[in-house]
Every structure is written in structure tokens, then in C-alpha cells.
Amino acid sequence: MQLIVSGSIAALFALIHVAGFRLTFLRVTPRSIWLSLAGGISVAYVFIHLLPELAEFQEAIGGHLDAAGFLKGLERHSYLIALIGLATFYGLDRAAQTSARASGTEEDGRPSVRVFWIHLGAFAVYNFLIGYLLVHREEGDLISLLVYGFAMAVHFMVNDHALREQHGDVYDSTGRWLLAAAPLAGWALGLSTDVSPVFISAVFAFLAGGVVMNVLKEELPEDRESRFWAFALGSGAYAVLLLAAG
């Protein structure tokens, strides 16, 4: 049963990227209520579900690293990986913005082809890991899978919209197909591999940092005219749901 559900969620992730250009109601200013709502849901999942799990992941990562003699003295390895995830996507976003300003005005300039592929490559790895975690998660029950799948689906919607705005036609012609294939590939690899708890812990930590950065970079800039009430409603409602389900 879980195999069918996880495969269906992976297909949904892919569909969001393939058909995202049809969601024209998201391309409005002030920012679409649905995007702010989705951002709130994604952040709630990180703070209510992922971050508490990092404390457990810390024991797995710390124990293995100490036993191996690496990074001895670092007390919060999983949180360091989360910080690396956040910093990675912050750096990618800054590189894309800088490249866009160099190629034209801030309004209509696009990042260079080189920056586009670096940006898309990073998001392809990100999507691949999200797809992989459909199979390998700390909690293996169906409810946990559905909670994870919904939170990441709305997060994919936010990311797809952001990348389309940033890169324009080149994203629709090539980029979205790469990002659509990535979660399916991650899910397929997850079915055929069984990796250590340390690797899963590290992926979850990196994902937590990436989700926080990718949501907040869309919600915080003043020119987005984001809907705080929708963001707060999404995060509050999903937090209550997560607490009730947990």
C-alpha cells in the first residue's frame, strides 16, 4: 500500500512542475494567497516535524562521527548540516539575482545560462532527495508519509512558481522537465537501495535548512507584497494538524 501511495506522491511532485505554468492565478501582485498559504504549511512542517527529529538524528550522526574520529568536538552536527542547506540555497539565490541584474534591469533581466544550470542542478538534487525520502524516512507509517507528501507538494508549488519567475521561458522549455524527473528518480532509487541512518539524518537536516530558506526568500522581500495572514493561517493550521497527528 505504501509503495503505491509513495509512487503516487512522487508522480504528483513531477506533475506540479510539468503543469505549473498553467496555474496563472499564482502570477499576481500582491502575492497570491495560495503561495503564502503554501509557504506557511511548508515552514510549519519544518518547525513542528523536521526540526524536532534533528535532535534524534543528532545522536545517530554524532555517534558515528565520534566513533570514526571525525569532527570530534562538534556537538551539533545535524544542525550544522541544516545551516549548510540554508546557506547553499541562499548563495544560489544571490548568484541568480546578481546575474540577472548584470544582464538587464532588475525587472526584466534573466540570470546567465551558466547560472541557470547551476541553479537548476541544485534544485534537481534537492527534488531528488525529497523523492528519495518518500521511501526512506525515520517514521515509516502511512500517516507520516501523507503528511510529508502534502507539505512537500505545496513546497514544490512555491519553488516552481519562483523558478519560473526568475528564469522565464528557458525554465518552461527545459528546466521544469529536469525538476519533474528528479523526484521520480529519487523515489525509484529509494526502492532499490538501503542506506545508513546517518545518511538519512543528513538528508533530513539539509532538507530542513533548504525548505526554510526557499520559503522565506519568497515571503520576506517587500516587493512580493506577501499575505501575512495567509502565511500565518497556513503555518498555524498545519501545525495544529501535525500536533494532532503526532
Side-chain angles (χ1 to χ4, degrees), residues 108-123:
D108 59 15
R110 299 293 184 195
S112 67
V113 173
R114 180 177 65 87
V115 170
F116 168 75
W117 283 113
I118 293 173
H119 207 188
L120 264 289
F123 270 94

Side-chain angles (χ1 to χ4, degrees), residues 40-53 208 212 216 239 242:
I41 290 170
S42 303
V43 167
Y45 182 77
V46 168
F47 280 92
I48 302 300
H49 195 82
L50 283 188
L51 290 184
E53 287 188 357
V212 171
L216 294 186
L242 289 171

Side-chain angles (χ1 to χ4, degrees), residues 18 27 36 40 75 87 101 104 139 150 164 169 172 174 181 194:
V18 170
R27 303 173 202 169
S36 291
E75 297 179 352
R101 284 195 293 268
E139 299 177 359
F150 180 74
R164 179 170 289 102
D169 292 341
D172 277 332
T174 56
D194 188 14

Side-chain angles (χ1 to χ4, degrees), residues 143-172:
I143 296 298
S144 172
L145 173 61
L146 293 173
V147 166
Y148 172 78
F150 180 74
M152 292 301 102
V154 297
H155 182 54
F156 271 48
M157 186 176 73
V158 173
N159 286 348
D160 181 76
H161 174 78
L163 290 167
R164 179 170 289 102
E165 278 197 326
Q166 198 160 39
H167 295 288
D169 292 341
V170 67
Y171 175 75
D172 277 332

Side-chain angles (χ1 to χ4, degrees), residues 28-114:
V28 295
T29 301
R31 185 168 173 80
S32 168
I33 292 171
W34 298 108
L35 288 174
S36 291
L37 192 69
I41 290 170
S42 303
V43 167
Y45 182 77
V46 168
F47 280 92
I48 302 300
H49 195 82
L50 283 188
L51 290 184
E53 287 188 357
L54 291 187
E56 299 175 16
F57 297 160
Q58 170 60 37
E59 296 181 10
I61 295 176
H64 281 73
L65 290 176
D66 290 342
F70 296 116
L71 299 178
K72 193 173 180 66
L74 287 178
E75 297 179 352
R76 295 180 176 84
H77 306 302
S78 60
Y79 294 101
L80 175 62
I81 295 171
L83 176 61
I84 291 171
L86 187 149
T88 296
F89 283 95
Y90 176 70
L92 289 167
D93 187 64
R94 291 300 302 163
Q97 290 184 24
T98 301
S99 178
R101 284 195 293 268
S103 65
T105 66
E106 257 189 273
E107 289 75 17
D108 59 15
R110 299 293 184 195
S112 67
V113 173
R114 180 177 65 87

